Amino acid sequence: MAKRIGILTGGGDCPGLNGAIKWATKTALDPLLAKSRREKMEVVGIREGWKGLVEVDPDDQTSLDRWILPLDEMVVRTWDRYGGSNLGTSRVNPFSSQEDRSEAVIEHLKGLKIDALVAIGGEDTLGVANRLFKMGVKIVGIPKTIDSDLSGTDYTLGYDSALNVITEEVDKLRTTAGSHSRIFIVETMGRHAGWLTLESGEAAGAYIILIPEYEFEVDRVCQLLEERRDAGARYSIVVVSEGAKVKGEGEIYYNDKEDDFGHKALGGIARFLAKAIEKRCGFETRHVILSHLQRGGSPSARDRLMGRRFGIAAVDLIMRDNYGRMVSSLKGEITSVPLEQAVEKLRTVDVERYYDTRRYNGRMSTLLP
Ligand code: F6P
């Protein structure tokens, strides 16, 4: 009998997901590989992440049509070129404190005759995957998040595309900032990890980069801006992470609503900072919140490549019956790590190694030993 694989994408979408689905599907169904492993596989997509597995009724065809999409080579053929998730995604948590639906998920997997599951996601989705694995579900993970905050991997799908979006947007702002002689504050995502902000700021050549891992002082920001104005610069770009904090203050939230995983939506630090700068140093200042634009668009070449490699590696793990692991990229090599390790703590920026706390920017000293 064929081994039936289910694939789902959970949490925030990003470019690269569709490529991972495509390559996992192609690898599972490849006739030559099937011959050498003497085992056939089938693949189904589960719509809208864990929500699909919570909601689906395996005995009802209408429900199956709504939540399950059979995948084959021709269905996924062109998917790798497109951003987002063609399976849809959600932030539904089967272990939600409101209602635990994990047993229903396990029942539904049995009803769907799914032997192994590929969960593509970040800390929340893979945290659920890890808990289900401990309850006996055969599961492997693929890392994705523009926040790049998963442990056990140097790369998470979507990150490179988001870096490129931010760099392009900052480039566009430069001309208008220069014409008007203004300061621009650009707010980026990343939640509690500063990677996206730090590396996009470095790539875009931002003058000031503010990350969650190091609390900043508005006076120091103003001082740096004044120094630069005195040196003759007509404008400056400040890139600030949505999770960055003024020294001694808390994070700024867009609203107080918590999602199923207990996260509140961050947002508003750029507006706060723009006002503070105008008030304290009198520079005309505007702010831009890049928000979900950072997760939009088509995947960069790197995200297509990594989607392919991670998709293939996930099916490799399933072929070897090696579950409870996340495929990963470490020092340029594709490998895998236990899901437990991937989700046990957030991978945040090591300030001492990568951040210049006097200049509020990436370090300029060499990282060579
Ligand atoms: O985790 C990815 C991410 O884009 C974070 O950077 C951001 O804080 C959050 O998701 C936004 O979530 P939502 O799409 O639910 O608004």
Side-chain angles (χ1 to χ4, degrees):
M1 237 194 13
K3 193 181 249 176
R4 200 164 207 232
I5 299 179
I7 304 183
L8 61 81
T9 54
D13 73 332
C14 62
L17 296 171
N18 288 322
I21 301 166
K22 166 176 166 167
W23 284 99
T25 305
K26 276 177 72 81
T27 309
L29 304 183
D30 185 82
L32 285 179
L33 287 173
K35 211 167 164 191
S36 60
R37 74 172 101 97
R38 292 201 190 88
E39 180 180 48
K40 283 203 159 185
M41 290 186 177
E42 276 174 23
V43 187
V44 294
I46 296 145
R47 295 193 192 273
E48 298 179 33
W50 299 118
K51 185 174 184 192
L53 282 179
V54 167
E55 300 289 336
V56 69
D57 176 352
D59 300 320
D60 173 19
Q61 192 55 48
T62 313
S63 175
L64 287 172
D65 292 344
R66 164 71 180 87
W67 296 110
I68 304 298
L69 178 68
L71 299 176
D72 65 27
E73 164 109 36
M74 292 318 279
V75 173
V76 298
R77 192 170 60 91
T78 60
W79 283 23
D80 47 347
R81 296 155 221 177
Y82 302 103
S85 168
N86 287 1
L87 293 176
T89 184
S90 70
R91 292 198 185 278
V92 166
N93 178 6
F95 295 96
S96 163
S97 53
Q98 310 292 316
E99 192 185 5
D100 189 330
R101 303 291 310 277
S102 55
E103 291 294 344
V105 166
I106 293 174
E107 272 312 297
H108 295 163
L109 281 168
K110 281 189 193 140
L112 293 165
K113 298 194 171 38
I114 289 178
D115 301 299
L117 196 61
V118 179
I120 311 177
E123 51 151 339
D124 295 332
T125 306
L126 298 187
V128 170
N130 188 36
R131 291 178 74 173
L132 289 172
F133 170 66
K134 289 184 181 158
M135 292 166 77
V137 177
K138 292 178 173 169
I139 197 158
V140 299
I142 294 182
K144 77 82 219 175
T145 167
I146 65 165
D147 306 342
S148 193
D149 58 358
L150 279 167
S151 294
T153 186
D154 296 338
Y155 194 71
T156 57
L157 293 179
Y159 181 67
D160 186 64
S161 303
L163 275 187
N164 283 312
V165 170
I166 300 168
T167 308
E168 276 169 32
E169 296 301 327
V170 169
D171 277 352
K172 283 180 201 158
L173 282 174
R174 287 184 185 286
T175 49
T176 175
S179 312
H180 287 267
S181 212
R182 282 172 174 159
I183 309 296
F184 259 91
I185 317 291
V186 181
E187 182 173 313
T188 52
M189 282 184 165
R191 212 168 251 161
H192 310 298
W195 295 112
L196 187 67
T197 312
L198 178 61
E199 296 197 338
S200 63
E202 287 178 334
Y207 176 56
I208 292 176
I209 301 171
L210 302 169
I211 59 174
E213 292 85 347
Y214 190 80
E215 293 185 351
F216 66 92
E217 290 177 50
V218 175
D219 283 342
R220 179 62 184 149
V221 170
C222 286
Q223 209 178 26
L224 287 165
L225 291 170
E226 273 156 8
E227 277 173 19
R228 183 135 147 116
R229 185 67 55 110
D230 291 347
R234 281 179 62 80
Y235 73 95
S236 289
I237 304 281
V238 178
V239 179
V240 60
S241 176
E242 60 180 2
K245 297 176 286 282
V246 175
K247 198 168 179 185
E249 308 277 334
E251 291 168 332
I252 298 183
Y253 298 108
Y254 175 72
N255 65 35
D256 268 347
K257 239 173 77 185
E258 280 186 7
D259 70 14
D260 241 11
F261 289 89
H263 303 295
K264 283 197 222 163
L266 289 160
I269 183 81
R271 183 166 184 269
F272 162 84
L273 188 57
K275 285 187 163 189
I277 290 169
E278 281 203 334
K279 195 165 161 208
R280 285 202 207 171
C281 39
F283 294 147
E284 196 179 15
T285 309
R286 294 286 188 269
H287 75 279
V288 172
I289 302 178
L290 292 180
S291 187
H292 295 78
L293 279 176
Q294 293 160 96
R295 302 211 311 243
S298 52
S300 66
R302 180 155 166 76
D303 273 321
R304 293 180 202 204
L305 198 57
M306 295 308 287
R308 174 182 167 124
R309 291 183 177 162
F310 283 159
I312 293 171
V315 174
D316 247 17
L317 285 177
I318 292 174
M319 273 164 24
R320 293 161 201 227
D321 282 321
N322 193 359
Y323 300 104
R325 302 188 71 81
M326 178 188 81
V327 300
S328 90
S329 171
L330 287 173
K331 300 200 168 119
E333 298 291 337
I334 299 296
T335 179
S336 72
V337 296
L339 277 169
E340 180 85 38
Q341 183 190 328
V343 298
E344 71 187 352
K345 80 176 188 1
L346 279 189
R347 193 182 79 97
T348 52
V349 173
D350 176 349
V351 168
E352 219 170 289
R353 196 163 149 74
Y354 297 116
Y355 192 66
D356 184 334
T357 56
R358 286 166 313 159
R359 261 190 272 259
Y360 288 168
N361 208 305
R363 271 182 75 119
M364 277 168 68
S365 53
T366 171
L367 295 177
L368 291 174

